Amino acid sequence: MSGHNHGCCEPHNDGIFGDKTELILAISSGVFLLTGFLLDNFSEFNFIYILIPYLISYGFGGYYTLKEAVQEISKGKFQIDFLMLIAAVGAALLDKWAEGALLLFLFSLGHALEHLAMAKARKSIESLTNLSPKVALRKEGDDFVEVNIGKLKIGDLIRIRPNSTVSADGVLINGSTSINQAPITGESIPVDKEPIRDNNIEFTSFEEIPERSRVYAGTINGNSSIEIKVIKESQDSTLNRLITMVQEAQEKKSPTQLLTDKFEKFYVPGVLILIILLNFAFLIVDETWQDSFYRSMAALVAASPCALAISTPSAVLSGIARAAKGGVLIKGGKPLEDLGTLRALAFDKTGTLTEGKPEMTDVVLLNGLSNDEFLQKVVALESSSNHPLAKAVVRDGKAKITILNGLPEVSNSEAIQGKGIKGMVNGETIRIGNLELYEEISEVPLEIQQKIKVLEKEGKTVMLVQNNNEFSGILALMDTPRKSAKPTLSKLKKIGIRKMVMLTGDNQEVANAVASEIGLTDAYGNLLPEEKVERIKKLEKEESKIAMVGDGVNDAPAMANSTVGIAMGAAGSDVALETADVALMADKLEILPFAIALSRKAQQIVKQNLWISLGVVALLLPATIFGWANIGIAVVFHEGSTIVVVLNALRLLAFKDKYSNI
């Protein structure tokens, strides 16, 4: 009785009418019940003829109930279906055929409607499975041959036709296109993709592939034909792992569900004892044993906790299905509930609140060179370096030059470890680097040092440029905050997140600069991974619950120690998918308010469902014990409450977050 398995929505697809069989049998049961009732009350037929439609009604209404009960009894379990059968047989023994048939009709109709409704939630999840393509066009010699995706091996070349589903996780090596990644990441706008520059690079993991060349199985190609190199076999693809995780998430029970299960463990034996005692009511009350038996059967129907058993799983299933559609993977009932109770969030900085790549923010000219002249020499020298900061200078420097007529000649370029770079540009010695680069060469004037200090206080990485022996300019770079960071944090504040802190390995000045720009409560800098964990534990003590938001790679220990670990951009990262309780599939911070708002709504619905289910039992049980309600009334309310609870949970499938429009 505690699991209410078939009530917990395993639809019966094995009948002659497929998944509608249960509903058709229930309706047939109702038709024969009505026939029997009309003959009983408005005809002169012998009772044996009236009994026939009642018996047929029993047969149709009790078919699945009996089947379920037999299966459960063979496993040594007594469930709700078994108790309903006892009540129906009891009614027949008392010659209350109409009431027994009504009980089985409404019970089977309630279950059929419940299964159809819950199948809607399951279909939302199964639609993920349908995304998985079955075949791929693999290159064999000079031709492309259609093969089953199970036969694809890492390194195979496959062609994706325009407007068709991508068959494997891979790297784009030929053709440019825009791909609709919504099935995996929930992003509503197609993402532009371009081929990798060097086809000979071997990627050991999916994360190493640049975002613009990374392609997921199950996403939909745009109007161009493209060729990709397979990076993962079909069973390891992001889509397949996503499907597995969503399916596992349905099984994981929430704290409320575990509490409900515990309650049912004590509740069910209590109900059975009460039913047995009610059979002896005739010893105290002036009535026959038949009346006492009937009263106990009505109480049995009233006390069966069908609605209670389905109230939480239906909400959890609908919540997980809706989240998956919005590009959020929630791994079970516990994170779904916890996410809804959060009041504090901790963020990693690099790549979570910031873009994760440095941008040139300031160019300060010092000796009368024009902007173009200065930048052309800087860009020319930095082009000879592979350093991430040099790449940022080249990229942003070119964008800041008004007229670019090719770059000057560079010779004798030399990187100076940890300090900068020097080389000859058009016969002129150019140095670019930090103050340490100039310690042994020349004295840096005080006012230039002051300018550098001001920029460093803003959390920027500063480089000083020297042409021959004259300081010509200052460059400042910074890992800039995401454009979405500030609006997202203000949305989170609106939905009741009181504390938002940043944990970073960067220095405190950088942390403070980013925090004040985007509106964080606190920022903690200079933290090693184990110090992040200590900080998380401390925050959890203060706030009782805290979530850690990061990219799931270096933040894994902090995530594991928080109440809820939230990983961003999880579609590209195996580690993030594994370690997080909640994974935002796209690398978009703005999905976070949607995930939290959805969890709050789910929690609200679970509470409503518990009130409805327990409320109906609390009203019906005394009503049947004191004889104010018969079996018919008890069944109507019992099944009615179950259907109301399921429909209430299904509202989550249509959830729209007013703040993020997801």
Side-chain angles (χ1 to χ4, degrees):
M1 184 162 170
S2 61
H4 182 196
N5 268 6
H6 124 222
C8 272
C9 306
E10 284 306 326
H12 301 287
N13 302 327
D14 53 352
I16 40 173
F17 305 108
D19 55 4
K20 296 276 193 298
T21 307
E22 196 176 5
L23 184 63
I24 289 166
L25 289 190
I27 290 167
S28 308
S29 167
V31 170
F32 283 99
L33 161 65
L34 184 64
T35 310
F37 178 78
L38 292 174
L39 291 175
D40 198 0
N41 288 287
F42 302 104
S43 78
E44 303 297 318
F45 282 132
N46 194 320
F47 186 69
I48 194 78
Y49 298 113
I50 296 165
L51 189 59
I52 292 166
Y54 280 146
L55 284 170
I56 296 171
S57 174
Y58 258 69
F60 282 135
Y63 174 72
Y64 278 118
T65 312
L66 179 62
K67 194 176 166 188
E68 201 74 30
V70 169
Q71 278 172 6
E72 291 306 323
I73 290 165
S74 66
K75 293 179 202 161
K77 291 179 189 168
F78 291 95
Q79 292 206 317
I80 291 164
D81 308 78
F82 175 68
L83 300 176
M84 289 297 165
L85 276 178
I86 293 177
V89 171
L93 292 174
L94 293 170
D95 260 356
K96 306 269 188 183
W97 288 96
E99 288 192 20
L102 178 68
L103 185 154
L104 288 175
F105 159 59
L106 287 177
F107 188 66
S108 60
L109 180 67
H111 271 196
L113 293 174
E114 187 186 313
H115 291 153
L116 288 175
M118 288 302 284
K120 190 173 159 49
R122 284 194 194 281
K123 277 201 180 83
S124 296
I125 286 173
E126 276 161 19
S127 62
L128 273 175
T129 322
N130 302 335
L131 292 171
S132 216
K134 307 292 174 273
V135 291
L137 287 173
R138 180 170 68 186
K139 191 166 193 176
E140 293 179 9
D142 293 335
D143 296 328
F144 283 91
V145 181
E146 198 169 272
V147 294
N148 186 301
I149 59 157
K151 292 198 172 135
L152 289 179
K153 295 273 172 284
I154 293 169
D156 281 352
L157 290 185
I158 57 174
R159 174 175 286 167
I160 313 296
R161 294 191 179 113
N163 306 314
S164 65
T165 307
V166 175
S167 4
D169 280 8
V171 55
L172 179 58
I173 57 163
N174 225 327
S176 296
T177 188
S178 64
I179 287 183
N180 176 358
Q181 295 190 157
I184 301 287
T185 63
E187 292 167 277
S188 50
I189 298 160
V191 180
D192 290 336
K193 300 281 176 184
E194 53 188 68
I196 198 82
R197 291 202 180 96
D198 181 359
N199 287 350
N200 299 319
I201 300 176
E202 288 300 325
F203 295 103
T204 50
S205 73
F206 209 48
E207 294 102 289
E208 289 177 14
I209 303 169
E211 189 69 49
R212 59 186 166 70
S213 307
R214 198 188 287 171
V215 181
Y216 301 104
T219 54
I220 296 132
N221 185 20
N223 297 325
S224 313
S225 181
I226 55 171
E227 285 172 28
I228 66 171
K229 187 195 272 186
V230 177
I231 294 288
K232 289 184 184 174
E233 291 182 6
S234 64
Q235 71 273 17
D236 300 323
S237 74
T238 307
L239 175 64
N240 257 14
R241 296 185 45 211
L242 189 56
I243 292 164
T244 311
M245 284 175 177
V246 171
Q247 284 165 345
E248 283 169 1
Q250 296 174 53
E251 310 304 319
K252 289 182 189 165
K253 296 190 172 185
S254 70
T256 307
Q257 205 172 337
L258 292 170
L259 196 69
T260 308
D261 289 353
K262 205 178 258 181
F263 169 73
E264 282 185 23
K265 246 184 215 156
F266 297 103
Y267 175 79
V268 172
V271 167
L272 292 174
I273 291 163
L274 174 70
I275 302 310
I276 292 163
L277 290 175
L278 283 175
N279 275 287
F280 300 101
F282 70 94
L283 299 174
I284 302 161
V285 185
D286 182 21
E287 66 182 12
T288 62
W289 174 78
Q290 277 91 338
D291 290 338
S292 294
F293 179 65
Y294 179 82
R295 188 199 302 263
S296 73
M297 291 299 104
L300 177 61
V301 174
S304 287
C306 277
L308 181 66
I310 192 72
S311 60
T312 312
S314 57
V316 168
L317 182 69
S318 300
I320 289 169
R322 175 63 188 98
K325 199 176 164 197
V328 180
L329 170 60
I330 297 177
K331 292 190 191 171
K334 188 178 185 317
L336 183 70
E337 275 193 27
D338 285 340
L339 200 55
T341 58
L342 288 174
R343 290 285 174 267
L345 294 174
F347 295 89
D348 169 47
K349 179 185 85 82
T350 310
T352 301
L353 292 172
T354 63
E355 294 289 353
K357 52 180 191 279
E359 283 181 25
M360 199 197 296
T361 51
D362 301 77
V363 177
V364 182
L365 300 171
L366 298 172
N367 72 342
L369 274 182
S370 76
N371 188 58
D372 278 14
E373 222 179 324
F374 170 71
L375 283 175
Q376 276 178 350
K377 288 173 181 173
V378 165
V379 169
L381 180 57
E382 292 284 30
S383 297
S384 62
S385 167
N386 269 330
H387 194 283
L389 290 177
K391 287 179 176 167
V393 169
V394 172
R395 183 195 65 227
D396 298 344
K398 279 182 179 171
K400 285 181 166 40
I401 297 171
T402 43
I403 305 158
L404 184 61
N405 304 321
L407 293 171
E409 278 292 306
V410 177
S411 59
N412 304 335
S413 156
E414 180 197 344
I416 299 147
Q417 192 62 43
K419 296 180 182 178
I421 189 171
K422 73 169 185 177
M424 301 292 286
V425 180
N426 278 358
E428 206 176 358
T429 304
I430 305 277
R431 288 184 179 84
I432 307 169
N434 53 25
L435 287 175
E436 286 172 34
L437 179 68
Y438 301 101
E439 273 173 358
E440 293 150 26
I441 311 157
S442 52
E443 189 69 40
V444 178
L446 258 173
E447 74 248 36
I448 292 180
Q449 288 188 34
Q450 284 305 118
K451 284 180 176 167
I452 289 172
K453 281 209 174 76
V454 169
L455 290 166
E456 281 178 342
K457 271 223 158 56
E458 291 168 9
K460 292 167 182 169
T461 303
V462 184
M463 295 183 233
L464 181 56
V465 183
Q466 191 184 45
N467 289 34
N468 286 336
N469 295 318
E470 199 179 348
F471 292 109
S472 54
I474 300 168
L475 302 171
L477 290 103
M478 191 179 177
D479 179 9
T480 53
R482 288 173 180 257
K483 288 183 177 61
S484 60
K486 198 172 181 174
T488 301
L489 295 184
S490 75
K491 277 174 199 166
L492 289 168
K493 213 172 241 164
K494 272 183 200 150
I495 61 172
I497 302 292
R498 288 193 303 256
K499 196 172 205 170
M500 289 179 277
V501 304
M502 179 169 73
L503 309 178
T504 178
D506 267 356
N507 70 54
Q508 193 63 46
E509 279 179 352
V510 171
N512 292 343
V514 173
S516 61
E517 190 177 334
I518 60 176
L520 285 164
T521 331
D522 290 293
Y524 302 98
N526 302 314
L527 298 179
L528 295 167
E530 56 269 27
E531 291 172 323
K532 283 188 180 182
V533 172
E534 280 163 32
R535 182 59 63 184
I536 283 284
K537 286 179 176 167
K538 194 164 179 259
L539 285 163
E540 197 162 24
K541 274 204 186 89
E542 291 166 16
E543 295 293 329
S544 85
K545 283 185 181 176
I546 184 143
M548 174 72 192
V549 188
D551 57 13
V553 185
N554 53 0
D555 310 310
M559 279 186 187
N561 281 282
S562 58
T563 320
V564 187
I566 303 170
M568 279 179 43
S573 162
D574 291 349
V575 187
L577 267 181
E578 296 301 339
T579 52
D581 304 302
V582 176
L584 310 181
M585 299 308 288
D587 191 22
K588 286 183 184 291
L589 194 60
E590 52 269 42
I591 307 176
L592 190 54
F594 157 75
I596 293 174
L598 173 67
S599 301
R600 294 212 172 146
K601 188 71 183 167
Q603 226 190 353
Q604 219 180 344
I605 283 179
V606 166
K607 279 182 187 154
Q608 289 168 359
N609 281 354
L610 291 176
W611 279 110
I612 294 166
S613 50
L614 291 171
V616 167
V617 172
L619 289 172
L620 268 189
L621 198 51
T624 50
I625 290 171
F626 294 115
W628 304 326
N630 61 19
I631 288 179
I633 292 169
V635 172
V636 169
F637 276 92
H638 174 268
E639 286 311 313
S641 67
T642 307
I643 292 169
V644 166
V645 156
V646 172
L647 293 177
N648 192 34
L650 286 186
R651 288 194 302 136
L652 278 172
L653 290 176
F655 176 78
K656 260 259 190 274
D657 175 27
K658 62 179 174 187
Y659 291 117
S660 42
N661 297 318
I662 295 175

